Amino acid sequence: MEATDNLAENKEALRSIVEQNYAIPEALDSLEFAQKLLVNLGSSDEELRDDLSYMILARGILEPGKLESEQLKQLLISVINDEHLFYHIGEVNNDSILMRSFSNLIIAAILYTDASRPSLSRESIGRVKDALMRYVREEKDWRGYIEGKGWAHSMAHLAEALDTYAQHPHATSDDRKDVLKLLSQLSKTSVPLFYEEDVRLATVAHHIILGKQVDSEFLHSWLKSCYVQRETDIRSWRRANNTKNFLRSLYFLLLWDNIGVGLMDDIAHILRRQDEPFAESEEGI
């Protein structure tokens, strides 16, 4: 126990693991070490949080399958609890966002690891969906890069979790429809999104469309829900701008894969509607 604590807190030792292609010392209990590394996800030290702890968790423990089925379930339960994904949820402009945001990345890594040979139960995957839906409702801090502390990128990391959830074998068509509804909601936030979160959100939708995982009738209806009525207040302008960027990103992802021509037409129509105030103003020039 003490050796595991010391290692998780020792940046030099963690760097050594990274340099050795993420090889974890055989003497360590992988689950215990993983849980100690989770603590570091809330650190304001970018190297300790991101380059070392997250990367070792993802590439040294989860990707190589170091955890047995029950251990993976235990780690998942830990990540979606109040000490990690919901740590000080609702607070803004403090370091608690780092723990919440990077917990989403670990959720993504766990689901990605499990997807090839599912050992997590449908009930466990259902708990992930419930947690992510609650997180979307309660998260208020959507900062991207924090000077001196590195990436928080909470919207982008959430997108990673939603993407791996939607592509997990236990996810159903109805589950994926719920994910698309969340994407529409997230794309319409009034918080300015500066760090290409639009692409990360659009990628989730793109994968669902590419896999033909929901029916086309729903997709056409869903796209209509992405429209934002532009008013005179700054919040509605920010919402419209975020949504336009999301739809533009989705449009080009579909274009480059040469799929969804009808959906692209829908997107173009919505974007034209969004820009009608500009077209109207130009008529008087």
Side-chain angles (χ1 to χ4, degrees):
M1 180 79 168
E2 184 177 352
T4 305
D5 287 343
N6 292 339
L7 180 57
E9 296 169 0
N10 187 328
K11 287 173 66 173
E12 184 176 347
L14 295 178
R15 288 190 197 108
S16 178
I17 291 175
V18 171
E19 290 165 2
Q20 294 174 46
N21 198 28
Y22 303 98
I24 306 298
E26 291 294 333
L28 285 180
D29 180 291
S30 294
L31 177 60
E32 185 180 305
F33 186 37
Q35 290 172 329
K36 296 301 178 185
L37 289 173
L38 285 181
V39 176
N40 296 340
L41 299 183
S43 173
S44 60
D45 182 329
E46 181 179 14
E47 182 190 17
L48 178 62
R49 178 184 72 252
D50 199 339
D51 300 335
L52 298 175
S53 299
Y54 163 65
M55 291 300 294
I56 291 171
L57 271 163
R59 298 191 59 183
I61 297 176
L62 292 169
E63 187 178 305
K66 293 283 187 180
L67 301 181
E68 300 293 335
S69 175
E70 188 58 34
Q71 292 177 316
L72 195 65
K73 178 182 176 181
Q74 288 181 50
L75 185 65
L76 179 61
I77 290 171
S78 294
V79 175
I80 62 176
N81 70 14
D82 289 345
E83 297 302 314
H84 298 97
L85 184 61
F86 297 104
Y87 179 69
H88 289 211
I89 190 73
E91 295 184 5
V92 297
N93 297 325
N94 62 34
D95 290 349
S96 66
I97 185 54
L98 299 172
M99 175 61 81
R100 298 194 299 274
S101 179
F102 276 79
S103 292
N104 268 313
L105 279 188
I106 299 302
I107 291 171
I110 290 172
L111 295 182
Y112 182 82
T113 296
D114 188 64
S116 59
R117 287 188 298 177
S119 64
L120 293 172
S121 66
R122 290 186 181 275
E123 180 184 4
S124 294
I125 300 303
R127 292 178 68 178
V128 172
K129 177 185 177 181
D130 292 342
L132 292 176
M133 294 184 74
R134 176 189 163 195
Y135 180 82
V136 170
R137 290 195 305 270
E138 298 184 15
E139 182 60 82
K140 306 299 179 187
D141 194 339
W142 298 114
R143 283 178 293 168
Y145 188 80
I146 303 174
E147 198 64 41
K149 298 175 183 179
W151 290 102
H153 228 185
S154 46
M155 185 76 76
H157 292 173
L158 169 62
E160 291 287 331
L162 289 171
D163 194 21
T164 53
Y165 166 73
Q167 296 308 313
H168 193 278
H170 288 336
T172 67
S173 177
D174 285 343
D175 292 329
R176 290 166 181 134
K177 288 178 181 179
D178 288 339
V179 168
L180 288 170
K181 291 174 186 177
L182 289 179
L183 296 178
S184 175
Q185 178 183 336
L186 290 166
S187 74
K188 291 186 285 191
T189 180
S190 61
V191 177
L193 300 176
F194 298 121
Y195 298 102
E196 298 194 335
E197 293 93 342
D198 52 290
V199 181
R200 304 288 278 272
L201 292 172
T203 297
V204 185
H206 174 241
H207 287 159
I208 293 172
I209 295 167
L210 188 64
K212 299 180 179 179
Q213 294 168 330
V214 299
D215 61 90
S216 59
E217 182 179 353
F218 175 85
L219 288 172
H220 289 290
S221 174
W222 168 71
L223 281 172
K224 291 178 182 177
S225 76
C226 295
Y227 173 77
V228 171
Q229 179 65 48
R230 193 195 302 272
E231 305 293 346
T232 57
D233 63 289
I234 190 63
R235 284 175 59 87
S236 74
W237 278 67
R238 287 173 178 165
R239 294 176 69 233
N241 187 63
N242 286 335
T243 305
K244 283 167 58 177
N245 288 337
F246 168 72
L247 290 172
R248 287 165 176 161
S249 292
L250 180 56
Y251 182 95
F252 281 101
L253 288 172
L254 296 174
L255 175 67
W256 294 330
D257 270 339
N258 194 29
I259 61 169
V261 175
L263 297 176
M264 290 166 61
D265 288 343
D266 285 354
I267 293 171
H269 177 71
I270 294 168
L271 289 173
R272 184 175 182 83
R273 284 184 66 202
Q274 291 282 189
D275 282 347
E276 280 177 356
F278 296 107
E280 291 170 0
S281 63
E282 288 173 359
E283 289 175 0
I285 295 175

